[in-house]
Amino acid sequence: MNKIQGKCRLGRQGIGYWFGMLLTLSMASCSAAKPGLVPQAGPSVAVDKALYRTIARQDSAMFEAFNRHDLTQLQTFFAEDLEFYHDKGGLADFQQTMQGFQSLFDQNKTTGLNRQLVPGTLEVYPISGYGAVETYQHRFCHVENGKDDCGTFKNMMVWRLRDGQWKVTRVVSYGH
């Protein structure tokens, strides 16, 4: 049995694994994320405001695809050499991560599964000659047993800029 098949419909562990695995206040009232919103600056001022805005837009677009459960669009944000580290689930590569998203989307066709960036938590810093690192907290919500079920998790993504395209090469998801 693979890591995905062993998970319940979604639950805390499923949320934590597949985007707490991306990619997370405990139980709280949730509302759908509003597409197109660019996250607000976190407590630390980004070293490079233009870089901050670029990564914030990338993050927003990535999670618009996640919230639409659009795997075709979502996978365009990740590099083929992706390494996804999760404090409970271990290490996954690009293929395993995409399979996990597909399974998560299949299991949550009617639950309203969505991701929301926690306001004020996004921080972006340059990585000289490579790209940027992004850290934040995000909340995943869905309806389970007729009630909103939300979890907030911590995440870090390393973005690589190559040939004018930003791609996530590393994800570290923790605090589950």
Side-chain angles (χ1 to χ4, degrees), residues 30-33 67 114-118 137-141 150:
C30 299
S31 62
N67 289 343
N114 69 86
R115 180 264 195 177
Q116 306 156 27
L117 180 70
V118 174
Q137 292 183 34
H138 51 187
R139 181 183 331 231
F140 290 90
C141 296
C150 300

Side-chain angles (χ1 to χ4, degrees), residues 75-94:
Q75 70 185 6
T76 67
F77 291 92
F78 296 93
E80 295 277 331
D81 60 344
L82 174 68
E83 292 181 1
F84 200 130
Y85 299 90
H86 187 273
D87 62 352
K88 303 262 187 216
L91 173 63
D93 64 17
F94 179 87

Side-chain angles (χ1 to χ4, degrees), residues 17-82:
Y17 186 77
W18 291 112
F19 220 95
M21 181 69 194
L22 205 12
L23 359 320
T24 215
L25 333 190
S26 192
M27 296 299 288
S29 175
C30 299
S31 62
K34 294 181 175 69
L37 291 180
V38 175
Q40 298 299 309
S44 299
V45 176
V47 174
D48 180 330
K49 291 182 192 300
L51 178 63
Y52 178 91
R53 286 189 301 273
T54 296
I55 297 301
R57 279 191 303 271
Q58 290 293 113
D59 180 271
S60 181
M62 175 190 292
F63 285 101
E64 284 176 25
F66 179 88
N67 289 343
R68 288 191 318 268
H69 300 187
D70 182 348
L71 183 63
T72 301
Q73 181 65 33
L74 182 61
Q75 70 185 6
T76 67
F77 291 92
F78 296 93
E80 295 277 331
D81 60 344
L82 174 68

Side-chain angles (χ1 to χ4, degrees), residues 8-15 27 107-108 110-113 141-150:
C8 62
R9 178 171 176 90
L10 182 62
R12 293 245 177 259
Q13 201 170 22
I15 290 171
M27 296 299 288
Q107 294 172 6
N108 288 279
T110 62
T111 66
L113 173 65
C141 296
H142 70 287
V143 175
E144 189 168 312
N145 298 321
K147 296 181 182 178
D148 285 337
D149 184 16
C150 300

